Amino acid sequence: MIVGVLTAAFTAVSSMTTAYLGIKAVSSTAKSIALGQQGAAPATTPPAATPPPQRTP
């Protein structure tokens, strides 16, 4: 019986730790993107497509 309790407790603690670290990592990534932190790849906008010149008949 004690093995079952210890197993459940270990599972609960490891799940909470994994969730905490995952949320922290996502939050850190989102914060660096929002602040435009240096070292991050800058977002580039593609050049606007220019239509071909119109031919007059």
Side-chain angles (χ1 to χ4, degrees):
M1 178 171 163
I2 189 125
V3 174
V5 172
L6 290 176
T7 302
F10 178 77
T11 302
V13 170
S14 63
S15 296
M16 295 297 260
T17 303
T18 303
Y20 171 77
L21 293 175
I23 291 169
K24 186 174 179 181
V26 170
S27 174
S28 175
T29 302
K31 186 176 182 181
S32 67
I33 290 171
L35 295 177
Q37 192 174 42
Q38 295 175 351
T44 58
T45 54
T50 56
Q54 293 185 352
R55 295 193 300 173
T56 53

